[in-house]
Amino acid sequence: MSGAARDRTVTSGMVLTALLVPVVAALGVVTSLRVENIDMDWVHRQQAACRHMPFPKMEYVLAWSGPLVGLSAMTICVLLGRWIRRCCGLRLWDTWPGLLAFVCSMLNVLAILLELFMLWTTYNPDMPGSILGDCG
């Protein structure tokens, strides 16, 4: 593998892919935090109606989409690393787009833990549920 045989320039596609990693990682966090908002809205609606209401299905959809989107960001980073290695002959963190994607994916590990926790709380049967109070 000679230096002349490999193009060492960073392409705009690499930059866009690298910028996609933090965007997708943030989208995973936003969807997981939206699970909590849906749950609290459901509790408040039950208390206002003074009766038990069916659990919102959208909460399940968002609870599953959080970890899936977070893992997608990690997959994008791995594919970017392979692309940079194949095209440029460099490691992921040897280019600035790769370094950006690498740092964001390492921070995304914590976000994936949050997303998995939100998924767990959605299916946790030990949650006390809403207390309807005095419906007198």
Side-chain angles (χ1 to χ4, degrees):
M1 173 170 58
S2 68
R6 299 276 183 170
D7 183 19
R8 295 189 179 269
T9 61
V10 174
T11 64
S12 60
M14 288 178 191
V15 173
L16 289 175
T17 305
L19 293 175
L20 192 61
V21 173
V23 170
V24 171
L27 185 63
V29 173
V30 167
T31 57
S32 288
L33 293 177
R34 182 72 181 124
V35 169
E36 182 65 26
N37 292 342
I38 290 173
D39 189 59
M40 292 308 297
D41 183 51
W42 173 69
V43 168
H44 292 307
R45 281 187 288 122
Q46 282 190 126
Q47 290 172 344
C50 205
R51 64 182 174 92
H52 290 284
M53 300 175 81
F55 198 70
K57 303 282 188 248
M58 184 55 76
E59 187 168 348
Y60 290 113
V61 171
L62 290 176
W64 277 102
S65 66
L68 290 175
V69 172
L71 291 173
S72 297
M74 300 296 278
T75 303
I76 292 169
C77 184
V78 168
L79 292 175
L80 176 66
R82 292 182 69 186
W83 183 14
I84 290 174
R85 174 68 88 180
R86 187 179 65 246
C87 291
C88 302
L90 300 170
R91 292 179 300 213
L92 179 67
W93 48 83
D94 288 339
T95 62
W96 73 266
L99 182 62
L100 172 71
F102 180 74
V103 169
C104 289
S105 65
M106 289 300 107
L107 294 173
N108 191 33
V109 170
L110 296 173
I112 290 173
L113 292 175
L114 167 76
E115 294 155 3
L116 289 172
F117 176 74
M118 295 307 289
L119 178 63
W120 176 76
T121 58
T122 301
Y123 284 96
N124 188 5
D126 295 334
M127 299 301 282
S130 63
I131 299 170
L132 295 180
D134 185 19
C135 294

